[in-house]
């Protein structure tokens, strides 16, 4: 009991009875129900489950990209569910990094500018130096001024990784980051992800289909039809 | 067939999912506005031409001094034309020992073919009624002045020539009353059947025959063409454009304004369609890649989408036609009180025009972006970022230029003019493209030194230079079209108001002898009547230019030919008359010697006369020489005495002269005319007040119509502007959502959006000012015969309006997305 309370106080992500339902033409669709999660700082968690089981929905709720229909979420003790959109935006900028399956780089910006983006949004004066260093770190030091169109998928995802770590986030969400890449490139990206994660002591929430990849995480959460099993 | 079904099904799905909303909207706006304007201007134009035809009382008139060949009338009947005749001649009336020169007009059955007569049966003007036919046999209608001058009243007998007639009406309005020399004397209108009995028309007597025709425009045109080669020099064809230059010019300008507005609205809509299609295309890359993956060939893709567009175009155009018809009907309802009573019914042709325009504009503006779909690589299924080449600029511009060129040609019917306009337009566009490109480059340089908000807003613009430039071109063109519509309309109305200020002179007094001049002037002053200067007039003919016969210089049908085939009114004055402007040379100073002449600019151009040329005139049989010392510009359409030739004082002293002046006499002081005529029996008074009233009414109606048309164009412009901004939002919404996942807050995004779209609008506004000012200048100097004025006001406001509206449209478009959770935004794209 005592340890559980302590754990709860320490938790970086804490959800209680989290649920998400959407109203469709065929009635209410319960995408997620009764999700209770306690995730500690520095933990790495794999979320696995079939396609359509609700994984993306779960992490988008955890990251405050979407609002739950029921239940509550606390990030670092702050209640996400009680914040308005701008509050959540500020919290995202402070705490969270993202890596998406489809990279989501801004097409018109160069690699460097893409990585600088979250830093500039928080008014970081050193944005350029930090971003350059990170791009060097992911092996793209020579490609700073290239736009996404001039980069391969793997390279784009590396830019996305650099962008995700630029703000030194406490939590990194990665939604099938290798889904659009071939297995070899995927592996490089994953290695890089884990390295950066270790260096930055980031809490990692990784969505994946891949059991081998899941095994590299400290804990695995399996979702089926919107519930943790 | 199954492919067509697939096309229909895809179209249905797309329209259900809202994919097509903006495109359909843009198309409906385009067709609605072009149909409404086509219908409205066609109908208005025909109504106005009809209205103007009233001034001739017919669509076409042959004016001659004898009767015309009977087979001409037969031919007219064959063309299906209605006919009437009037005969006008001067006659002296004697009643109660009073003598009065009057203008008799005998009118046939069917007169007036166009317009109405107005008359009263009592002597006050209150009980005025409108009538469709002239006097019956045995009766005469007279102007009020006849009654007072001859001491007559209604019901009395009046002897015209040898025929006694009964005065049944006081004539108050006659549609075809002209400002020629017949109208100085008051009118007596009689029935043609009584003409013979007056015995007034003898061989050689001074009569004018007017053979009047009315009918379908095409029939009139055919008849005119048939007739023209057969006319002898003493027979003249009158139609509204040729016979009444002051109205003809107003009408022509109004017609051109209507045409211009149509082109502009179509251009505006075209821009919106192009932008909406571009969006549509970009949203269909994925679906197309999949279809390609599933084995669709490029041609099939093209066919699939273009058949959807044709169906879409037909439906939206049909709807647009209906809406346009209603809009036009509403417009006419609003204008009901201002417009002539008898409105022409809307023409099916104009509806068809609207429909065709819809399809043509859709295809011309939608095709280039649509063609990109053909190039979508099936590999895109795996690599989402693979985009087809942008639409070929060559194709985009040549198609839209083709359509616009066609429209300009339709309204100007002048190939040279069309190519010049297009050429100028293209060079301006190219220049602006370069300018914008340079500006963006410059901004990129400044970027690092700006604060975050500005930098982000600008970065958005700079991220995709070619998109930004095409957006600036599109918004700029739309704004330019709106500005143009506004400026031209404002100047047109100003021009008309200047032409006829409220107390423009409405009477001319001619033939005032020099010894009467001072007395006449003081009589006018005594009654507080404002008049122009008194000008001495000597009649003379221009015979030589630099000792060469003037015939060598004239080209056929030119102003020069006109002016050299008759005697000119020559005058002299110390001061340059009001509203005359020296464009070359100098006006004489007081001590300058005699024998200088100042010539009107258009005539000088027509006869190629330059400063310093020696002009020889004959006055009576005497020769007079004068050197051209200045060239003047003047307005012929003001109701003031105007002269081709003004001599330096002293030059014409040796020749007998009479004076001429013009003055404004309000209705209430009309009685004064009789006393003036009595006191100075040798003088002639030309009453142009009725004509002026007609002209004013017409101009007022045109003004109102044009105002409404402007509001309509502006409304279409703003709607389209909004739609067009919306069509460009996808990428920004996506970027906004992505930025929010990184923690950008809404007020930051809101500010950057405002700034970004505001800047876009501002640059477009600057662009619009350049385009519209250049176009206005060109239009005025080459097409509408108006003076160009630079307007600082426009230069300042248009960029601000652009910033405000594009900014607001962009902001509103993105606002709703700002309040949605960012995830949903990312999912929906
Ligand atoms: N806004 C929405 N409206 C309707 N259904 C949704 C919505 N968002 C997600 N879903 C549905 O919820 C389920 C879970 O989606 P998602 O979280 O993306 O699954 P996963 O990432 O595990 O593949 C899917 O069946 C999806 O279609
Ligand atoms: Mg998913």
């Amino acid at each position: 009991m005592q340890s559980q309370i302590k754990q709860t106080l320490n938790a970086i992500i804490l959800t209680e009875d989290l649920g998400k339902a959407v109203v469709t033409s065929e009635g209410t669709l319960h995408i997620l129900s009764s999700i209770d999660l306690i995730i500690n700082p520095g933990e790495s968690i794999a979320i696995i489950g079939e396609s359509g089981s609700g994984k993306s929905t779960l992490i988008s709720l955890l990251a405050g990209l979407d609002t739950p229909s029921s239940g509550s979420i606390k990030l670092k003790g702050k209640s996400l569910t009680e914040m308005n959109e701008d509050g959540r935006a500020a919290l995202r900028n402070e705490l969270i990094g993202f890596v998406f399956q489809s990279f989501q780089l801004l097409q018109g910006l160069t690699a460097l500018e893409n990585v600088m983006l979250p830093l500039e949004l928080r008014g970081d004066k050193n944005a350029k130096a930090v971003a350059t260093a990170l791009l060097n770190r992911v092996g793209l030091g020579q490609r700073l001024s290239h736009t996404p169109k001039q980069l391969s998928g793997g390279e784009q995802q590396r830019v996305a990784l650099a962008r995700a770590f630029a703000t030194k986030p406490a939590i990194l969400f990665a939604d099938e980051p290798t889904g659009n890449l071939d297995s070899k490139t995927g592996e490089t990206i994953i290695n890089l992800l884990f390295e950066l994660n270790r260096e930055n002591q980031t809490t990692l929430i990784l969505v994946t289909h891949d059991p081998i990849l899941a095994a590299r995480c400290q804990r695995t959460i399996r979702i089926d039809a919107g519930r943790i099993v | 067939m199954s492919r067509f079904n697939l096309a229909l099904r895809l179209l249905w799905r797309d329209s259900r999912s809202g994919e097509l909303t903006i495109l359909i909207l843009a198309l409906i706006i385009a067709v609605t506005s072009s149909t409404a304007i086509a219908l409205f201007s066609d109908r208005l134009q025909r109504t106005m031409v009809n209205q103007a035809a009233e001034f001739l009382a017919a669509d076409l008139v042959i004016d001659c001094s004898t009767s015309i060949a009977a087979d001409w009338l037969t031919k007219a009947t064959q063309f299906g034309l209605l006919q009437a005749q009037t005969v006008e001649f001067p006659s002296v009336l004697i009643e109660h020992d009073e003598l009065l020169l009057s203008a008799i007009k005998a009118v046939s059955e069917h007169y007036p073919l166009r317009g109405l007569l107005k008359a009263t049966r009592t002597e006050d003007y209150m009980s005025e009624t409108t009538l469709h036919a002239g006097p019956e046999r045995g009766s005469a209608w007279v102007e009020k002045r006849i009654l007072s001058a001859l001491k007559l009243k209604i019901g009395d007998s009046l002897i015209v020539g040898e025929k006694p007639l009964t005065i049944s009406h006081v004539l108050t309005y006659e549609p075809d009353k002209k400002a020629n020399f017949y109208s100085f004397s008051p009118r007596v209108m009689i029935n043609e059947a009584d003409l013979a009995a007056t015995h007034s028309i003898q061989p050689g007597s001074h009569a004018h025959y007017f053979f009047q025709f009315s009918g379908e425009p095409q029939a009139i045109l055919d008849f005119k063409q048939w007739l023209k080669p057969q006319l002898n020099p003493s027979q003249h064809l009158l139609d509204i454009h040729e016979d009444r230059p002051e109205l003809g010019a107003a009408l022509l300008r109004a017609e051109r304004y209507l045409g211009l507005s149509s082109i502009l609205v179509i251009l505006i809509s075209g821009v919106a369609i192009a932008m909406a299609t571009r969006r549509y295309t970009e949203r269909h890359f994925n679906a197309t890649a999949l279809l390609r993956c599933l084995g669709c060939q490029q041609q099939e893709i093209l066919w699939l989408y273009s058949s959807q567009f044709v169906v879409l175009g037909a439906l939206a155009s049909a709807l647009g036609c209906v809406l346009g018809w209603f809009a036009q009907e509403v417009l006419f309802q609003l204008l009901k009180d201002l417009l002539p009573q008898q409105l022409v019914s809307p023409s099916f042709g104009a509806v068809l025009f609207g429909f065709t325009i819809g399809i043509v504009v859709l295809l011309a503006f939608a095709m280039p972006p649509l063609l990109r779909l053909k190039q979508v690589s099936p590999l895109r299924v795996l690599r989402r970022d693979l985009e087809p080449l942008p639409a070929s600029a060559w194709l985009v511009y040549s198609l839209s230029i083709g359509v616009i060129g066609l429209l300009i040609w339709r309204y100007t019917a002048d190939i040279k003019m069309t190519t010049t306009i297009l050429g100028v337009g293209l060079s301006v566009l190219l220049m602006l493209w370069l300018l914008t490109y340079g500006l963006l480059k410059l901004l990129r340089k400044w970027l690092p030194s700006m604060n975050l908000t500005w930098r982000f807003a600008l970065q958005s613009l700079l991220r995709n230079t070619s998109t930004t430039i095409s957006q600036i071109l599109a918004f700029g063109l739309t704004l330019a079209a709106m500005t143009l519509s506004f400026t031209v309309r404002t100047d047109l109305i100003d021009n008309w108001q200047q032409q006829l200020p409220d107390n423009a002179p409405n009477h001319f007094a001619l033939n005032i002898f020099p010894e009467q001049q001072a007395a006449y002037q003081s009589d006018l002053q005594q009654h507080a009547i404002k008049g122009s200067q008194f000008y001495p007039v000597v009649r003379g003919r221009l015979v030589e230019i630099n000792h060469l016969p003037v015939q060598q210089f004239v080209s056929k049908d030119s102003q020069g030919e006109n002016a050299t085939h008759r005697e000119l009114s020559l005058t002299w004055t110390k001061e340059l008359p009001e509203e005359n402007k020296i464009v070359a040379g100098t006006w004489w100073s007081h001590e300058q010697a005699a024998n200088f002449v100042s010539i009107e600019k258009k005539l000088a151009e027509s006869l190629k006369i330059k400063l310093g040329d020696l002009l020889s005139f004959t006055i009576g049989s005497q020769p007079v020489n004068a050197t051209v010392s200045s060239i003047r510009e003047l307005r012929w359409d003001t109701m003031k005495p105007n002269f081709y030739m003004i001599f330096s004082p002293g030059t014409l002293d040796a020749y007998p002269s009479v004076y001429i002046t013009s003055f404004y006499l309000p209705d209430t002081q009309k009685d004064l005319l009789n006393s003036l005529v009595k006191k100075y029996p040798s003088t002639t008074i030309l009453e142009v007040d009725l004509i002026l009233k007609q002209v004013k009414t017409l101009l007022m109606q045109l003004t109102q119509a044009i105002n409404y048309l402007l509001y309509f164009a502006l409304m279409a412009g703003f709607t389209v502007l909004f739609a067009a901004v919306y069509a460009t939002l996808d990428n920004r919404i996506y970027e906004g959502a992505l930025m929010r996942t990184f923690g950008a807050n809404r007020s930051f995004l809101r500010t950057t959006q405002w700034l970004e779209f505001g800047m876009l609008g501002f640059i477009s506004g600057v662009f619009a000012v350049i385009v519209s000012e250049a176009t206005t200048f060109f239009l005025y100097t080459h097409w509408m015969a108006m003076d160009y004025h630079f307007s600082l006001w426009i230069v300042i406001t248009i960029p601000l309006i652009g910033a405000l509206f594009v900014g607001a449209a962009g902001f509103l478009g993105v606002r709703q997305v700002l309040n949605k959770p960012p995830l949903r935004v990312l999912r929906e794209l």
Side-chain angles (χ1 to χ4, degrees):
Chain A
M1 186 68 195
Q2 187 88 27
S3 78
Q4 186 158 4
I5 290 171
K6 196 176 168 210
Q7 210 178 3
T8 317
L9 283 175
N10 265 345
I12 188 153
I13 302 176
L14 181 70
T15 72
E16 255 168 50
D17 193 29
L18 193 62
K20 175 77 185 174
V22 290
V23 181
T24 66
S25 53
E26 277 118 51
T28 309
L29 177 67
H30 292 273
I31 305 174
L32 288 177
S33 340
S34 329
I35 304 284
D36 292 300
L37 275 180
I38 301 171
I39 296 171
N40 295 314
E43 243 187 318
S44 60
I45 311 270
I47 299 178
I48 58 172
E50 281 168 30
S51 177
S53 55
K55 308 181 293 292
S56 295
T57 309
L58 176 60
I59 66 162
S60 62
L61 287 178
L62 296 181
L65 290 178
D66 202 356
T67 47
S69 340
S70 59
S72 67
I73 306 169
K74 279 187 181 152
L75 292 190
K76 246 189 167 175
K78 290 174 195 153
S79 173
L80 252 191
T81 29
E82 278 161 24
M83 288 179 190
N84 66 7
E85 173 48 33
D86 283 339
R88 290 196 298 271
L91 198 68
R92 278 200 295 274
N93 192 259
E94 187 191 325
L95 286 182
I96 296 171
F98 288 96
V99 182
F100 302 96
Q101 179 175 358
S102 50
F103 323 140
Q104 308 279 25
L105 300 178
L106 289 189
Q107 291 301 314
L109 295 186
T110 62
L112 181 63
E113 286 166 339
N114 264 297
V115 178
M116 282 166 66
L117 193 67
L119 290 168
E120 287 186 299
L121 282 173
R122 56 161 67 171
D124 193 326
K125 294 268 183 294
N126 287 325
K128 192 162 181 180
V130 174
T132 312
L134 263 166
L135 280 167
N136 271 320
R137 172 70 187 83
V138 300
L140 292 174
Q142 308 304 313
R143 315 289 297 270
L144 298 183
S145 62
H146 287 200
T147 57
K149 280 201 175 107
Q150 296 164 307
L151 300 171
S152 73
E155 284 161 346
Q156 288 190 46
Q157 196 61 305
R158 277 193 267 169
V159 176
L161 276 179
R163 182 179 62 183
F165 282 101
T167 54
K168 297 201 185 305
I171 313 164
L172 181 74
F173 291 100
D175 190 357
E176 302 187 39
T178 57
N180 278 0
L181 301 171
D182 60 76
S183 57
K184 186 137 186 301
T185 317
E187 207 181 309
T188 330
I189 291 293
I190 288 299
N191 289 336
L192 196 54
L193 174 66
F194 277 101
E195 278 168 33
L196 285 166
N197 195 46
R198 213 168 29 246
E199 286 164 20
N200 290 285
Q201 301 189 334
T202 314
T203 310
L204 174 68
I205 317 287
L206 174 70
V207 172
T208 180
H209 289 304
D210 185 354
I212 303 173
L213 187 50
R216 290 178 71 170
C217 295
Q218 293 164 350
R219 191 145 61 103
T220 300
I221 295 170
R222 174 179 284 279
I223 304 240
D224 188 26
R227 288 172 187 274
I228 297 181
V229 291
Chain B
M1 200 57 219
S2 71
R3 291 223 182 272
F4 189 63
N5 282 337
L6 174 65
L8 283 184
R9 206 165 53 242
L10 288 176
L11 188 65
W12 176 240
R13 291 268 166 256
D14 273 347
S15 61
R16 288 273 308 234
S17 67
E19 281 293 291
L20 292 169
T21 317
I22 287 193
L23 185 67
I24 293 175
L25 210 67
L27 198 60
I28 291 177
I29 291 171
V31 178
T32 305
S33 51
S34 59
T35 308
I37 288 190
L39 264 173
F40 180 75
S41 58
D42 169 79
R43 207 173 154 195
L44 188 76
Q45 201 168 312
R46 286 187 300 132
T47 306
M48 287 300 171
V49 167
N50 269 8
Q51 165 88 338
E54 277 193 41
F55 297 122
L56 292 176
D59 295 327
L60 186 71
V61 175
I62 309 172
D63 168 8
C64 48
S65 51
T66 54
S67 202
I68 55 170
D71 68 311
W72 290 9
L73 300 180
T74 324
K75 192 75 191 176
T77 315
Q78 281 170 17
F79 276 112
L81 302 181
L82 215 61
Q83 303 167 20
Q85 284 105 49
T86 64
V87 185
E88 296 184 25
F89 56 92
S91 178
V92 176
L93 304 175
I94 310 169
E95 299 286 342
H96 301 106
D97 296 327
E98 299 278 349
L99 223 105
L100 181 69
L101 181 71
S102 69
I104 314 290
K105 176 170 183 166
V107 303
S108 73
E109 195 190 358
H110 300 314
Y111 170 86
L113 293 171
R114 298 280 184 219
L116 294 162
L117 291 163
K118 290 183 188 165
T120 67
R121 285 176 156 281
T122 54
E123 282 169 42
D124 62 49
Y125 281 83
M126 296 297 120
S127 52
E128 191 180 68
T129 49
T130 49
L131 296 142
H132 293 271
E136 284 167 22
R137 218 178 153 153
S139 55
W141 296 2
V142 300
E143 262 180 50
K144 196 177 178 191
R145 205 140 61 82
I146 298 239
L147 297 184
S148 55
L150 296 179
K151 300 180 182 143
L152 292 168
K153 49 187 198 307
I154 288 179
D156 286 353
S157 161
L158 172 74
I159 299 169
V160 177
E162 296 173 10
K163 170 81 179 169
L165 298 165
T166 312
I167 299 174
S168 65
H169 289 76
V170 175
L171 184 65
T172 51
Y173 176 84
E174 177 189 333
D176 53 338
K177 178 140 179 157
K178 280 177 270 319
N180 63 28
F181 71 96
Y182 286 107
S183 53
F184 348 130
S185 13
R187 168 75 75 223
V188 174
M189 188 178 281
I190 64 172
N191 193 300
E192 194 192 33
D194 293 322
L195 182 60
T198 66
H199 295 289
S200 295
I201 309 251
Q202 313 287 343
S205 65
H206 231 34
H208 259 259
Y209 290 79
F210 296 93
F211 292 88
Q212 307 174 327
F213 306 93
S214 69
E216 290 300 312
Q218 192 54 48
I220 289 287
L221 211 67
D222 292 343
F223 181 57
K224 192 170 156 185
Q225 246 136 38
W226 175 84
L227 198 60
K228 242 185 174 160
Q230 315 194 42
L231 294 171
N232 69 36
S234 71
Q235 296 166 328
H236 298 283
L237 269 190
L238 312 179
D239 74 15
I240 187 62
H241 289 291
E242 289 167 21
D243 187 48
R244 292 292 296 270
E246 80 278 14
L247 283 183
L251 263 184
L252 194 68
R253 283 185 193 151
E255 279 171 24
R256 291 188 162 173
Y257 180 76
L258 296 179
L260 180 73
S261 303
S262 299
I263 298 179
L264 293 178
V265 170
I266 290 167
L267 183 71
I268 292 173
S269 319
V271 168
I273 289 171
M275 301 193 89
T277 313
R278 195 186 145 129
R279 176 185 200 244
Y280 171 90
T281 310
E282 281 166 2
R283 290 184 151 221
H284 281 73
F285 285 161
N286 292 343
T288 309
L290 192 70
L291 285 172
R292 294 271 284 121
C293 226
L294 296 178
C296 245
Q297 281 163 8
Q298 288 193 322
Q299 285 310 318
E300 288 171 325
I301 293 284
L302 190 62
W303 194 87
L304 196 66
Y305 284 108
S306 45
S307 57
Q308 287 184 54
F309 265 61
V310 169
V311 172
L312 190 72
L315 289 177
S317 296
L319 185 61
C321 281
V322 174
L323 290 176
W325 193 86
F326 277 114
Q328 164 270 145
E329 204 48 44
V330 169
L331 216 56
F332 269 97
Q333 283 304 314
L334 288 175
L335 285 176
K336 213 167 74 186
D337 295 337
L338 294 162
L339 289 170
Q341 235 98 89
Q342 292 148 307
L343 274 180
V344 200
S345 53
S347 77
F348 180 70
V351 178
L352 199 69
F353 174 73
F355 188 83
T356 321
I357 282 292
I359 303 280
V360 170
V361 168
L362 175 67
L363 290 184
F365 286 88
M367 231 20 178
L370 207 55
L371 281 176
R372 289 178 76 194
L373 284 174
K374 196 178 109 170
Q375 303 169 341
V376 170
S377 151
L379 193 61
R380 192 182 155 90
V381 176
L382 299 177
R383 286 201 54 191
R384 281 285 134 97
D385 50 318
L386 273 184
E387 289 206 359
L389 297 169
S392 145
W394 185 85
L395 191 67
V396 176
Y397 295 118
S398 57
L399 267 176
S400 40
I401 288 162
V403 169
I404 296 300
L406 219 67
L407 284 169
I408 299 177
W409 179 74
R410 178 179 178 265
Y411 286 105
T412 57
D414 182 343
I415 291 279
K416 206 180 127 206
M417 171 85 73
T418 308
T419 44
T420 325
I421 294 177
L422 283 181
V424 170
L426 279 182
S427 344
V428 171
L429 274 187
L430 190 73
M431 198 187 76
L432 287 169
W433 191 91
L434 290 173
L435 217 69
T436 318
Y437 190 80
L439 181 72
L440 291 183
K441 273 243 133 98
L442 204 69
L443 284 176
R444 191 183 281 283
K445 252 194 165 157
W446 290 341
L447 204 60
S449 58
M450 296 177 181
N451 81 24
L452 188 69
T453 320
W454 275 93
R455 194 140 41 89
F456 265 87
L458 254 181
Q459 238 162 12
S460 269
L461 290 181
L462 297 175
R463 214 167 288 159
N464 197 338
T465 323
S466 72
T467 313
T468 304
I469 292 181
S470 62
Q471 270 169 18
I472 289 176
L473 291 190
F475 296 151
L477 234 61
T478 311
L479 279 170
M482 291 157 71
T483 312
L484 200 60
S485 214
F486 178 78
T487 354
V488 175
R489 164 270 189 190
T490 309
D491 288 346
L492 205 56
I493 291 173
D494 279 356
N495 193 287
W496 286 338
Q497 258 156 15
Q498 275 171 27
Q499 179 178 334
L500 296 173
D502 270 346
N503 46 5
N506 56 2
H507 290 78
F508 283 91
L510 322 173
N511 287 332
I512 304 166
F513 289 126
E515 59 272 20
Q516 295 173 330
Q517 190 236 317
Y520 207 107
Q521 196 159 6
S522 78
D523 277 350
L524 288 184
Q525 268 160 13
Q526 212 167 29
H527 292 95
I529 288 165
K530 282 204 193 67
S532 72
Q533 204 180 327
F534 280 67
Y535 294 94
V537 175
V538 171
R539 305 285 291 178
R541 200 181 263 271
L542 174 66
V543 286
E544 286 177 1
I545 301 171
N546 294 328
H547 304 297
L548 296 170
V550 73
Q551 275 68 30
Q552 292 188 4
F553 296 88
V554 302
S555 47
K556 209 169 153 29
D557 284 333
S558 66
Q559 200 171 4
E561 190 198 24
N562 252 324
T564 52
H565 273 91
R566 59 184 175 92
E567 289 198 315
L568 297 174
S569 292
L570 313 176
T571 192
W572 67 88
T573 151
K574 221 154 55 179
E575 309 291 344
L576 180 67
E578 262 183 85
E579 293 178 16
N580 282 226
K581 211 170 79 196
I582 300 288
V583 290
T586 49
W587 189 252
W588 32 80
S589 50
H590 295 289
E591 56 282 6
Q592 211 165 1
N595 290 80
F596 285 107
V597 64
S598 170
I599 179 170
E600 189 267 337
K601 183 178 155 212
K602 296 232 168 78
L603 182 65
E605 279 165 6
S606 175
L607 292 173
K608 300 178 189 70
I609 292 174
K610 301 172 300 300
L611 286 179
D613 283 355
L614 185 72
L615 306 185
S616 308
F617 298 84
T618 52
I619 297 173
S621 54
Q622 310 279 99
V624 174
N625 293 331
T627 308
V628 176
S629 66
S630 66
I631 295 178
R632 278 168 304 126
E633 209 171 48
L634 57 83
R635 299 183 55 120
W636 286 102
D637 45 14
T638 60
M639 293 285 170
K640 286 183 184 162
N642 275 321
F643 298 90
Y644 279 130
M645 304 284 179
I646 301 181
F647 288 76
S648 54
T651 316
L652 303 179
D653 280 356
Y655 306 93
S657 62
V658 287
Y659 279 81
I660 176 175
T661 188
S662 66
F663 53 87
Y664 172 73
L665 191 68
D667 278 350
T668 49
Q669 278 177 284
K670 203 80 188 176
D671 283 345
L672 195 67
L673 282 187
N674 280 329
S675 63
L676 278 176
V677 170
K678 234 180 213 153
K679 189 165 171 195
Y680 308 99
S682 64
T683 60
T684 309
I685 289 185
L686 209 57
E687 294 170 74
V688 292
D689 49 345
L690 286 183
I691 292 169
L692 264 177
K693 239 180 243 165
Q694 290 175 337
V695 175
K696 269 191 171 167
T697 315
L698 183 77
L699 291 187
M700 204 179 80
Q701 288 166 352
L702 283 179
T703 302
Q704 291 298 336
I706 278 174
N707 271 339
Y708 279 99
L709 204 60
L710 170 77
Y711 302 149
F712 198 75
L714 290 185
M715 245 162 56
F718 281 125
T719 322
V720 160
L721 205 60
F722 270 82
V725 172
Y726 268 68
T728 66
L729 289 180
D730 280 355
N731 197 39
R732 295 186 159 85
I733 291 171
Y734 160 75
E735 288 178 357
L738 202 57
M739 305 256 282
R740 281 177 57 203
T741 61
F742 302 137
N745 68 28
R746 284 177 297 176
S747 76
F748 171 79
L749 286 179
R750 221 175 278 143
T751 322
T752 53
Q753 292 292 358
W754 257 112
L755 277 178
E756 181 190 342
F757 281 96
M759 271 193 284
L760 199 63
F762 186 83
I763 300 174
S764 308
V766 173
F767 178 98
V769 166
I770 301 176
V771 173
S772 68
E773 288 299 297
T775 320
T776 316
F777 177 78
F778 182 79
L779 278 180
Y780 285 7
T781 48
H782 287 77
W783 203 35
M784 317 227 345
M786 299 195 333
D787 288 332
Y788 167 81
H789 303 284
F790 174 79
S791 157
L792 188 66
W793 190 78
I794 291 275
V795 172
I796 293 172
T797 35
I798 298 302
L800 293 181
I801 288 179
L804 194 70
F805 273 85
V806 176
F811 174 71
L812 289 175
V814 188
R815 189 198 48 168
Q816 56 197 33
V817 179
L818 287 176
N819 296 324
K820 285 190 196 171
L823 173 81
R824 226 177 287 164
V825 178
L826 288 180
R827 256 194 213 281
E828 277 165 18
L829 288 161

